[in-house]
Amino acid sequence: RGAPLQPWRRRKLSSRNSFESLESLSLHSAEARVLVINTGGTIGMTIHDNVLAPKANAFVQSLRKLPILHDETYAQQSCLYDYYGSENTLVLPVSKDRKRIVYTILEYNPLLDSSNMTTDDWGRIGKDIEKNYENYDGFVILHGTDTMAYTASALSFMCEHLGKPVILTGAQVPIYEMRNDGRGNLLGALMIAGQYVIPEVCLYFYNKLYRGNRVTKVDAGSFNAFSSPNLAPLATAEVDIAINWDTVWRANTTAKFQVSTELNRNVGLLRLFPGITAATVRAFLQPPMEGVVLESYGSGNAPDNRPDLLEELRKATDSGVIIINCTQCLRGTVSTSYATGKVLMDAGLITGGDMTPEAALSKLSYVLAKKDLDLEVKKKMMSQNLRGEMSADLAGAKLCLSDSRFIQVIAKTLSISCKEELEAIRDALSPPLACAAAKIGDIEALEALKEMGTNLCLGDYDGRTPLHIAACEGHLKLVQYLLSHGATVHAKDRYGDTPLSNAVSFRHKDVVKLLRKTGAHFSREELEEAGTELCSLAASGDLEGLEIWTLAGANLNAPGYDGQTAIQVVRSEHSNEFPWALRHPVQSNAFKLFLS
Ligand code: ASN
């Protein structure tokens, strides 16, 4: 096999690969890895018989010829193709902050115009993300624009406890044409997926990153095809890529990532229009229909002078059909300010708040497929905000910066008063303060920081997050607290270390267990290097060390630099008495037990 991927790791391993000259390696500090799942769409279409249709097995070859999307020189120097054993892996040119994004393209067969997509295709994408989750830092899904908002919404629900970015993108004009939007969209999506831990299913189009379950296609003939009417973009890619971290959905779980591919197909969208007949509504609501999104007028209104219509809705909800009230308007929310809105509540409908019909429909499909839940629980889930798809009613609950005495005092000392400057101070001060609180295990201080609007997953000047620090110190409760308040287990500091590798170095078993439960894992390189570390632990009879590395996911059968495994190291020593056993007789027995 060729040289390991990361040049900086390759340097460490240079004694193994002595044929490799250090000079030939670039000095870039890190590489990120992104999986691109190509499902089809205009981005890879060509014209046949005067109409656009997907073209198979052509996409990777054409990207290879585009210098903005592939650096062939670097690929050759770093043995990229040998390492991955396939020509489907490409690498972006080096970024401004000297990072490389290596991406592998998985092309579906057949490639689809997204008008042909079904729930089965959503399931396939979900399974592929799940299968490859630990091997990549982020995922880009190439998809047609016509139903992209539906797929993005559905994936946002199907991906439970997501900790890495999943970004859908595509194009209005094929990447093969001279003027097209595909190249920019793909490049932007790759750069964001490879560089930022945004734990959401997103959609990237025309320089903006949106939450996937908030978008809708609004223009068939513009590069600016999508809108997220009720939520500001998560990021904008202008001169710089600016992430709106305050809007990014925060992980709030200690559960591991999984994909729920069960979806219920007995759902539908029904749009009200003046004069709609009761017979139409009755026919639509017949079994096997189990969930319907009613697209009502304005702020969730329907005629209150049509008992025949309301009667049909009432009968359906009484018989267990879940009906969600969403507005036909592009922007705004369902409320109960009108008599014409109240009648729908009285008919048993559930308010959909400011959800898009696409989000409401796919949420129904996801929730109704949960076989172990009863109807009341499903209804409750439909009215709750599960993945940031609807705005919480924050009336009266919003905290503002001026609540914070601490920041006020600093602002006064510095003679600062305007909101923007206050926010700038908060943002500059809070990461090191949060890390300091994590160091001493002070949950109250973290709570206070959170209340003043601090994002507890931001890193300090070295990219070290409070979770890294808490993992080093072994503050289990604090680790638990941070994971429940937005911290990500996938954060890497400037040395490439994660909270998991820190917890292993400092030997905090419980923390390692909790991080693993939450989905933390060693990278491919770390797993490869673990063999050498395990051998040296084995040689010195360090049972505790071996145990903690194993808990963290390392494999005792992984070979070290000379091809021997930790187990072989033990066995190649004296069969009964290992040299260190004289020094640690008790550990010797425990060690034998552990290895058996
Ligand atoms: N019909 C195409 C699709 O959705 C439209 C596009 O991708 N721009 O696959």
Side-chain angles (χ1 to χ4, degrees):
R1 200 178 61 187
L5 181 70
Q6 301 269 27
W8 54 288
R9 296 224 180 251
R10 198 178 299 132
R11 273 201 301 280
K12 278 201 214 165
L13 298 176
S14 56
S15 58
R16 198 181 343 163
N17 297 315
S18 51
F19 54 85
E20 220 171 50
S21 101
L22 286 185
E23 286 74 16
S24 74
L25 300 172
S26 75
L27 293 171
H28 309 313
S29 63
E31 284 174 357
R33 207 166 298 150
V34 175
L35 179 66
V36 178
I37 300 178
N38 182 10
T39 71
T42 298
I43 190 162
M45 289 190 185
T46 52
I47 295 191
H48 297 274
D49 300 333
N50 271 334
V51 289
L52 281 166
K55 183 168 165 66
N57 305 319
F59 198 69
V60 180
Q61 286 312 323
S62 64
L63 293 189
R64 198 182 295 289
K65 294 188 203 116
L66 295 174
I68 59 155
L69 284 162
H70 178 61
D71 183 342
E72 181 62 26
T73 313
Y74 181 84
Q76 296 288 348
Q77 276 176 0
S78 61
C79 308
L80 201 74
Y81 306 129
D82 289 348
Y83 184 75
Y84 285 99
S86 108
E87 301 256 305
N88 290 343
T89 297
L90 305 175
V91 57
L92 289 186
V94 69
S95 73
K96 262 200 255 172
D97 41 5
R98 309 193 63 70
K99 289 224 170 81
R100 289 279 182 177
I101 292 163
V102 174
Y103 62 107
T104 300
I105 299 184
L106 173 65
E107 182 170 306
Y108 280 4
N109 179 18
L111 290 168
L112 292 179
D113 184 303
S114 73
S115 304
N116 291 324
M117 285 256 171
T118 67
T119 47
D120 291 346
D121 299 301
W122 300 346
R124 179 174 179 194
I125 301 170
K127 277 197 196 116
D128 279 330
I129 296 172
E130 190 172 43
K131 199 162 77 198
N132 291 289
Y133 192 70
E134 300 211 338
N135 291 329
Y136 295 90
D137 298 300
F139 299 83
V140 169
I141 318 293
L142 294 178
H143 195 290
T145 56
D146 289 347
T147 65
M148 199 189 288
Y150 289 91
T151 306
S153 295
L155 285 174
S156 78
F157 297 111
M158 292 159 63
C159 292
E160 297 171 347
H161 317 297
L162 181 63
K164 299 184 180 185
V166 173
I167 305 180
L168 286 95
T169 194
Q172 294 282 65
V173 173
I175 205 158
Y176 310 112
E177 294 197 14
M178 187 166 69
R179 266 189 71 247
N180 73 78
D181 54 336
R183 294 174 204 168
N185 286 345
L186 176 57
L187 183 62
L190 283 169
M191 291 191 62
I192 296 177
Q195 295 190 88
Y196 303 97
V197 186
I198 297 177
E200 295 209 37
V201 174
C202 315
L203 187 150
Y204 181 83
F205 224 84
Y206 199 59
N207 305 330
K208 289 200 172 65
L209 184 78
Y210 304 103
R211 177 168 300 153
N213 54 34
R214 291 292 198 146
V215 284
T216 189
K217 184 171 176 181
V218 290
D219 201 325
S222 163
F223 286 163
N224 195 4
F226 287 91
S227 170
S228 168
N230 290 319
L231 188 78
L234 302 178
T236 47
E238 305 288 343
V239 172
D240 292 310
I241 295 178
I243 312 287
N244 185 358
W245 286 112
D246 285 344
T247 309
V248 170
W249 185 249
R250 319 247 175 108
N252 52 5
T253 172
T254 53
K256 228 180 202 161
F257 171 67
Q258 62 178 30
V259 180
S260 167
T261 49
E262 290 294 312
L263 293 164
N264 187 317
R265 281 181 162 228
N266 299 323
V267 294
L269 288 163
L270 178 63
R271 189 176 168 101
L272 275 188
F273 53 89
I276 187 171
T277 65
T280 302
V281 175
R282 188 182 323 124
F284 195 83
L285 295 172
Q286 285 310 299
M289 193 58 93
E290 292 177 64
V292 169
V293 179
L294 182 77
E295 293 184 55
S296 57
Y297 306 130
S299 53
N301 306 325
D304 63 351
N305 60 357
R306 288 284 309 278
D308 57 334
L309 209 66
L310 296 168
E311 175 62 18
E312 293 303 336
L313 294 171
R314 177 85 255 174
K315 271 199 276 183
T317 57
D318 280 349
S319 70
V321 179
I322 300 183
I323 310 183
I324 310 297
N325 182 8
C326 285
T327 172
Q328 299 182 2
C329 292
L330 180 62
R331 181 170 291 116
T333 183
V334 165
S335 69
T336 45
S337 39
Y338 289 89
T340 47
K342 191 169 167 294
V343 288
L344 289 180
M345 299 281 276
D346 295 342
L349 272 71
I350 293 169
T351 171
D354 60 353
M355 268 191 290
T356 60
E358 291 94 328
L361 184 79
S362 55
K363 185 174 175 181
L364 265 175
S365 186
Y366 164 78
V367 169
L368 283 169
K370 301 239 166 238
K371 294 198 185 70
D372 330 332
L373 304 180
D374 64 36
L375 186 65
E376 284 315 306
V377 179
K378 290 178 183 169
K379 283 189 185 165
K380 190 152 180 245
M381 279 176 86
M382 285 309 300
S383 62
Q384 280 171 342
N385 178 20
L386 302 181
R387 306 277 193 278
E389 73 280 8
M390 66 203 306
S391 306
D393 187 3
L394 287 175
K398 229 167 174 189
L399 288 156
C400 77
L401 255 183
S402 55
D403 293 343
S404 151
R405 178 124 178 83
F406 173 77
I407 298 288
Q408 268 181 25
V409 171
I410 293 182
K412 215 168 170 191
T413 323
L414 299 173
S415 317
I416 280 166
S417 57
C418 87
K419 180 173 166 280
E420 285 71 24
E421 282 176 327
L422 266 172
E423 277 176 358
I425 291 184
R426 177 198 68 182
D427 292 348
L429 287 181
S430 42
L433 284 174
C435 287
K439 167 101 184 145
I440 53 171
D442 188 345
I443 294 188
E444 271 173 34
L446 282 176
E447 189 69 27
L449 282 164
K450 188 169 74 69
E451 282 192 7
M452 66 174 79
T454 300
N455 177 353
L456 295 181
C457 33
L458 289 185
D460 67 2
Y461 39 82
D462 271 342
R464 300 200 35 82
T465 65
L467 188 62
H468 280 99
I469 313 285
C472 285
E473 299 304 321
H475 295 315
L476 182 66
K477 279 211 175 107
L478 205 123
V479 169
Q480 176 101 41
Y481 171 86
L482 288 165
L483 291 173
S484 316
H485 291 86
T488 168
V489 294
H490 303 297
K492 285 184 193 157
D493 66 15
R494 69 184 291 203
Y495 311 102
D497 288 332
T498 59
L500 178 66
S501 51
N502 283 174
V504 169
S505 304
F506 288 88
R507 304 202 168 190
H508 297 302
K509 222 157 72 178
D510 290 344
V511 175
V512 168
K513 281 189 196 157
L514 177 57
L515 292 170
R516 287 284 289 158
K517 183 168 154 269
T518 310
H521 59 84
F522 278 146
S523 68
R524 185 165 157 174
E525 289 78 17
E526 282 170 325
L527 286 173
E528 280 171 0
E529 287 176 26
T532 302
E533 179 67 29
L534 290 171
C535 287
S536 100
L537 292 169
S540 58
D542 188 343
L543 173 67
E544 189 200 32
L546 283 170
E547 192 188 357
I548 200 130
W549 275 78
T550 317
L551 277 176
N555 180 354
L556 281 174
N557 289 310
Y561 70 93
D562 59 356
Q564 281 216 55
T565 67
I567 292 183
Q568 287 166 336
V569 167
V570 174
R571 298 210 173 110
S572 69
E573 305 286 338
H574 197 279
S575 58
N576 289 321
E577 290 302 327
F578 310 124
W580 39 265
L582 297 171
R583 275 174 281 130
H584 309 284
V586 177
Q587 231 184 31
S588 161
N589 285 332
F591 190 38
K592 272 188 266 178
L593 255 175
F594 178 68
L595 288 183
S596 67

